[in-house]
Amino acid sequence: MSKQVKHYESQYSNFQENLYREIRARVYGTDIGQNSWITADEQDMFMDWLRLDSSKKLLDVACGSGETTLRINKSTNCSVVGVDVQEKGIKNALSLVKEKKLEASVNFILLDGGKRQPFDTGTFDAIICIDAINHLPKRKKVFQEWYRLLKEDGCILFTDPIVVTGMLTKEEIETRASIGYFLFTADGVNEKLLKETGFTVLKEIDRTDNMAMIARNWEVERERKSTALISIEGHDTFEGQQDFFKTCANLAEGKHLSRYAYFAGKGKTDQKDI
């Protein structure tokens, strides 16, 4: 069995270090503070779908370092609440809010996004969760909680990066899930559970190529800086992350594990203007 890899702990502990910023810039082309498979142009597309503005309130589930959340706030002027279970990620996010003096419109909370959230029913206009829903157990309960939190015309947007669309070995599954809890989902299950919860699926697109490209970039760019990274992370953590990224890339390139983006509305049925 693959050893547990301290992926998020390592990333967020060193998030503001120049070495990690340099690697992210080479991996993504544009560093927007992400630690997932999202790129700046993909986030722009997602923001177009959400149609956020200064009158809207967004919940970002598993917000990570907070930088991608702040980019949404800056681009749309919506108010945002970000939640994440990683203490160092939230610490980074809160420091950015203070630095940029955004306390009036942005807040970050250390919170498990898979549990009932401490917000009133109908609080949010939109909810996003990028490449993290696979870390939350009990998928239908998550959808039900999101449904509760949304206003009547609200919408959700999430990406699931481990939709099973091919054959997997035991070793591949263990390596892919070596960085934490994972819930692997068969193709078609997300759509089924969304509809059972009351959502209308408005868009569903295959974004696996993004994941394949980013995973391979991470493997290559980290290898270029292996000496420096090993001195920071330690040999075992470095090698564990390299195995993780290599496996992610291989499975995505072969379409054994796919990444889909889902956009769904609470009570929405007309897709003409979406």
Side-chain angles (χ1 to χ4, degrees):
M1 178 178 292
S2 298
K3 293 181 180 179
Q4 192 75 18
V5 177
K6 296 180 179 180
H7 172 73
Y8 293 110
E9 296 91 334
S10 175
Q11 291 290 330
Y12 293 136
S13 294
N14 305 289
F15 207 80
Q16 299 294 353
E17 298 293 329
N18 288 335
L19 173 62
Y20 285 79
R21 285 197 174 278
E22 178 187 343
I23 293 172
R24 288 200 304 274
R26 292 181 67 93
V27 167
Y28 294 105
T30 301
D31 175 18
I32 58 173
Q34 66 269 64
N35 186 38
S36 63
W37 312 120
I38 196 170
T39 52
D41 61 333
E42 185 178 72
Q43 189 187 55
D44 291 341
M45 177 180 68
F46 290 163
M47 285 191 285
D48 286 343
W49 292 4
L50 291 168
R51 298 182 178 180
L52 299 167
D53 57 40
S54 59
S55 69
K56 302 294 178 62
K57 188 168 186 177
L58 172 72
L59 175 65
D60 188 352
V61 178
C63 61
S65 72
E67 293 193 37
T68 56
T69 316
L70 292 175
R71 185 172 184 265
I72 295 174
N73 168 259
K74 182 178 180 180
S75 298
T76 68
N77 293 314
C78 72
S79 61
V80 187
V81 177
V83 300
D84 201 289
V85 74
Q86 292 291 333
E87 185 175 0
K88 291 176 181 176
I90 291 296
K91 183 178 179 181
N92 182 81
L94 289 171
S95 69
L96 290 172
V97 170
K98 185 175 181 180
E99 175 188 322
K100 298 174 184 293
K101 297 180 171 57
L102 294 171
E103 292 89 346
S105 61
V106 182
N107 188 27
F108 292 102
I109 305 172
L110 182 64
L111 194 66
D112 185 343
K115 296 182 179 178
R116 184 177 176 87
Q117 306 295 284
F119 309 112
D120 292 338
T121 297
T123 295
F124 297 97
D125 296 281
I127 297 172
I128 63 170
C129 182
I130 303 300
D131 297 330
I133 196 168
N134 47 291
H135 298 313
L136 309 179
K138 300 179 181 178
R139 181 72 47 89
K140 189 170 183 179
K141 285 187 178 296
V142 170
F143 289 158
Q144 289 171 336
E145 178 64 356
W146 290 357
Y147 194 91
R148 180 188 73 82
L149 292 172
L150 285 176
K151 295 178 182 178
E152 284 305 313
D153 59 349
C155 59
I156 62 172
L157 191 159
F158 68 95
T159 55
D160 187 344
I162 52 168
V163 177
V164 179
T165 51
M167 294 183 288
L168 303 167
T169 67
K170 177 176 179 288
E171 181 181 9
E172 287 169 339
I173 292 172
E174 290 176 349
T175 302
R176 188 65 177 82
S178 62
I179 65 170
Y181 174 85
F182 270 68
L183 183 63
F184 290 81
T185 308
D187 194 12
V189 170
N190 282 316
E191 301 92 318
K192 176 177 178 291
L193 295 179
L194 284 168
K195 291 174 183 177
E196 287 178 358
T197 306
F199 286 105
T200 299
V201 179
L202 303 172
K203 285 183 183 289
E204 174 193 342
I205 61 171
D206 187 341
R207 300 297 297 175
T208 309
D209 288 345
N210 239 43
M211 179 167 64
M213 175 188 69
I214 297 303
R216 190 64 74 195
N217 287 354
W218 269 115
E219 180 198 4
V220 171
E221 296 303 328
R222 282 175 53 84
E223 191 62 42
R224 289 179 62 252
K225 298 291 185 178
S226 59
T227 300
L229 288 171
I230 289 171
S231 71
I232 296 171
E233 300 173 354
H235 183 271
D236 288 349
T237 295
F238 174 80
E239 290 296 340
Q241 291 200 75
Q242 290 303 93
D243 289 343
F244 170 74
F245 285 123
K246 181 179 180 179
T247 299
C248 289
N250 289 344
L251 293 177
E253 288 166 357
K255 293 296 178 79
H256 300 288
L257 280 180
S258 296
R259 176 179 183 258
Y260 284 92
Y262 302 89
F263 181 47
K266 182 177 180 178
K268 292 185 177 181
T269 57
D270 189 354
Q271 300 187 42
K272 288 187 296 183
D273 62 344
I274 297 299

